[in-house]
C-alpha cells in the first residue's frame, strides 16, 4: 500500500506540474495533434501496465500517466466546447459524461462475466481499448489551428490567463466551489462506510453497480438546469451532498448508507457537465488550452489540500471526516 501511495503521489504531482506546459504546447501544436499525441501516450501507458511485473514497471506507467493526464486535462472539454454551439455545450458535456460511465459499465460487465481473476487478460484488453481510442482520435476535426509563437508571446499568454482568473471574482469563486465539491466526491469512497456497517462483499458490489448506473442521470443535467436554473443547481447539488455526508456520519443502516452514497454520486455527475460548460463559457482569452490549464492548477491545488485533510480525519474518525465533508459541501454552496 505504501508503494501504491508513493506511485499515485508522484503521478499526481507530475500532472499538476505539467498542466501549464501542456496547455502552452497545445496552442503550439493545435488541439487535434495534442489529442492524438496524448491518446497515443495513453495507449503506451496501458502496454506498460499490461507487462509490468514489479514496482519499477508500475512506477513508469504512473509517471507517463501523470504526463498524459496533464495533457488531456481541459483539452477534451475545450475541443467539445469549440465543436458545438455554446448554448448546446451543457447537453454535450452531459452526453460525454454518460459515455464515460457506459464505458465503465461495459468494462465491469466484461470483467465480471468473462475475465474473473485473469489479471493479465484484463490488462491486455485495457491496452486494446486504449488502442482503439487512439485510432479514433485520428478522426477528430481541428478546432484551433496551431500557432507558432515566440517565447515572449507564450509568457504573455500565460500572464493573460492568470490575470483573467485572478481578476474575475465570479470565475475564481466558481472554481473554488467546484474544487471543494469534487474533493468530497473523490474522498468519500463507499467501501469504508460499507465495511463499518458490516456489508458483505457481494453487497458492496451491488451497491457500487447501483451507484454507477444512477450516475447516468448526469445526462439530464442540462434538462434539470432548464427547470431550476444554474443558481438553483448551485444550491441544490451541494446541499443534497452535504445532507448525504451528514447521513453517512451518523447512520449504521445499510439502505440509508447505499442511498447516501448514490445521492453523492448522482450529485457529482449532474454537476460535472455544468462545471465544464460554465468553465469554458467564462474563458475569454483566445488561448483556451492555456487558460484551462491554469484553472486545473487551482482546482487540483484546492482538491489536494481538501483530500489530505479528509484523509487524515478519516484515520481518526470516519464520522468526523463525513461531517467535515458536509462542511466542505456547504462551503462549496456559498462559493458557487
Amino acid at each position: 500500500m505504501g508503494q501504491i501511495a508513493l506511485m499515485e503521489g508522484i503521478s499526481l504531482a507530475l500532472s499538476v506540474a505539467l498542466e501549464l506546459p501542456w496547455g502552452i504546447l497545445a496552442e503550439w501544436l493545435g488541439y487535434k495533434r495534442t489529442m492524438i499525441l496524448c491518446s497515443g501516450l495513453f495507449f503506451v501507458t496501458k502496454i506498460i501496465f499490461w507487462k509490468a511485473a514489479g514496482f519499477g514497471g508500475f512506477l513508469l506507467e504512473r509517471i507517463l500517466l501523470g504526463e498524459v493526464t496533464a495533457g488531456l486535462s481541459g483539452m477534451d472539454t475545450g475541443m467539445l466546447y469549440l465543436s458545438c454551439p455554446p448554448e448546446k455545450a451543457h447537453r454535450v458535456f452531459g452526453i460525454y459524461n454518460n459515455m464515460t460511465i457506459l464505458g465503465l459499465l461495459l468494462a465491469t460487465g466484461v470483467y465480471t462475466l468473462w475475465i474473473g481473476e485473469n489479471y493479465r487478460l484484463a490488462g491486455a484488453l485495457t491496452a486494446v481499448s486504449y488502442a482503439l481510442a487512439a485510432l479514433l482520435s485520428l478522426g477528430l476535426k481541428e478546432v484551433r489551428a496551431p500557432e507558432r509563437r515566440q517565447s515572449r508571446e507564450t509568457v504573455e499568454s500565460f500572464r493573460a490567463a492568470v490575470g483573467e482568473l485572478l481578476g474575475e471574482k465570479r470565475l475564481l469563486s466558481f472554481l473554488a466551489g467546484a474544487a471543494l465539491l469534487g474533493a468530497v466526491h473523490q474522498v468519500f469512497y463507499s467501501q469504508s462506510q460499507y465495511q463499518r456497517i458490516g456489508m458483505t462483499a457481494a453487497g458492496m458490489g451491488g451497491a457500487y453497480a447501483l451507484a454507477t448506473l444512477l450516475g447516468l442521470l448526469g445526462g439530464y443535467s442540462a434538462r434539470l438546469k432548464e427547470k431550476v436554473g444554474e443558481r438553483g443547481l448551485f444550491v441544490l447539488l451541494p446541499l443534497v451532498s452535504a445532507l448525504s455526508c451528514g447521513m453517512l456520519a451518523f447512520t449504521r443502516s445499510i439502505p440509508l448508507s447505499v442511498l447516501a452514497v448514490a445521492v453523492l454520486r448522482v450529485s457529482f455527475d449532474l454537476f460535472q457537465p455544468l462545471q465544464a460548460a460554465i468553465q469554458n463559457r467564462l474563458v475569454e482569452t483566445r488561448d483556451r488550452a492555456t487558460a484551462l490549464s491554469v484553472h486545473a492548477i487551482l482546482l487540483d491545488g484546492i482538491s489536494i489540500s481538501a483530500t489530505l485533510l479528509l484523509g487524515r480525519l478519516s484515520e481518526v474518525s470516519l464520522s468526523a471526516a463525513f461531517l467535515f465533508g458536509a462542511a466542505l459541501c456547504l462551503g462549496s454552496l456559498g462559493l458557487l
Side-chain angles (χ1 to χ4, degrees):
M1 292 303 296
Q3 289 180 339
I4 292 173
L6 176 62
M7 287 187 288
E8 291 294 334
I10 292 173
S11 182
L12 181 59
L14 274 173
S15 67
V16 174
L18 295 174
E19 277 283 356
L20 184 59
W22 265 109
I24 294 172
L25 182 63
E27 309 292 356
W28 186 78
L29 284 177
Y31 290 5
K32 177 181 177 179
R33 289 179 182 175
T34 303
M35 284 293 294
I36 292 173
L37 176 59
C38 289
S39 298
L41 286 174
F42 225 155
F43 171 48
V44 171
T45 68
K46 299 314 164 192
I47 293 177
I48 297 172
F49 182 80
W50 171 33
K51 293 295 185 181
F55 178 77
F58 288 115
L59 177 61
L60 176 60
E61 187 262 346
R62 302 315 280 185
I63 288 173
L64 287 176
L65 186 63
E67 297 183 19
V68 172
T69 302
L72 288 174
S73 175
M75 184 57 56
D76 51 355
T77 56
M79 285 199 76
L80 283 173
Y81 186 81
L82 293 174
S83 298
C84 67
E87 64 273 11
K88 293 184 178 180
H90 192 170
R91 179 174 176 272
V92 169
F93 289 133
I95 295 171
Y96 181 46
N97 188 58
N98 275 6
M99 293 294 285
T100 304
I101 296 173
L102 286 172
L104 176 61
L105 288 172
L106 177 61
T108 303
V110 170
Y111 185 86
T112 303
L113 299 175
W114 180 28
I115 297 173
E117 294 187 3
N118 190 343
Y119 301 127
R120 288 297 170 188
L121 177 58
L125 290 177
T126 301
V128 169
S129 65
Y130 278 82
L132 292 173
L135 288 173
L136 286 171
S137 70
L138 298 174
L140 293 171
K141 291 184 178 180
E142 183 59 89
V143 295
R144 169 71 189 275
E147 288 191 8
R148 300 294 186 264
R149 294 180 170 183
Q150 302 295 326
S151 57
R152 179 180 57 81
E153 293 175 305
T154 299
V155 172
E156 287 301 320
S157 172
F158 168 64
R159 286 179 178 174
V162 173
E164 180 182 87
L165 175 61
L166 297 179
E168 181 55 77
K169 292 182 179 179
R170 291 184 309 156
L171 178 58
L172 199 59
S173 179
F174 173 75
L175 291 176
L180 291 181
L181 199 59
V184 172
H185 171 268
Q186 291 173 15
V187 167
F188 285 104
Y189 302 117
S190 56
Q191 187 172 354
S192 296
Q193 173 70 2
Y194 292 158
Q195 287 176 337
R196 179 168 72 160
I197 60 179
M199 278 185 71
T200 64
M204 291 183 195
Y208 176 78
L210 175 64
T212 304
L213 281 169
L214 289 175
L216 291 172
L217 293 173
Y220 291 95
S221 179
R223 292 186 184 180
L224 186 59
K225 189 195 76 170
E226 292 175 359
K227 293 182 177 180
V228 303
E230 283 183 358
R231 192 175 184 84
L233 285 178
F234 288 164
V235 174
L236 176 65
L237 299 180
L239 185 59
V240 296
S241 296
L243 291 173
S244 296
C245 289
M247 186 186 298
L248 288 169
F250 296 108
T251 187
R252 295 297 184 271
S253 163
I254 290 178
L256 287 179
S257 294
V258 171
L259 174 64
V261 170
V263 169
L264 274 173
R265 175 61 189 262
V266 172
S267 297
F268 183 72
D269 286 321
L270 284 169
F271 185 74
Q272 276 191 306
L274 178 65
Q275 176 185 342
I278 294 177
Q279 194 175 339
N280 274 276
R281 191 178 73 210
L282 293 178
V283 172
E284 296 180 355
T285 177
R286 172 173 165 75
D287 301 322
R288 183 171 299 274
T290 302
L292 291 176
S293 292
V294 171
H295 295 180
I297 293 172
L298 175 66
L299 286 165
D300 290 341
I302 295 174
S303 183
I304 290 170
S305 301
T307 298
L308 289 173
L309 287 171
L310 284 163
R312 179 57 182 159
L313 266 178
S314 66
E315 292 177 353
V316 178
S317 167
L318 192 58
S319 293
F322 281 127
L323 288 174
F324 184 57
L328 290 179
C329 290
L330 293 176
S332 173
L333 186 154
L335 287 165
L336 292 174

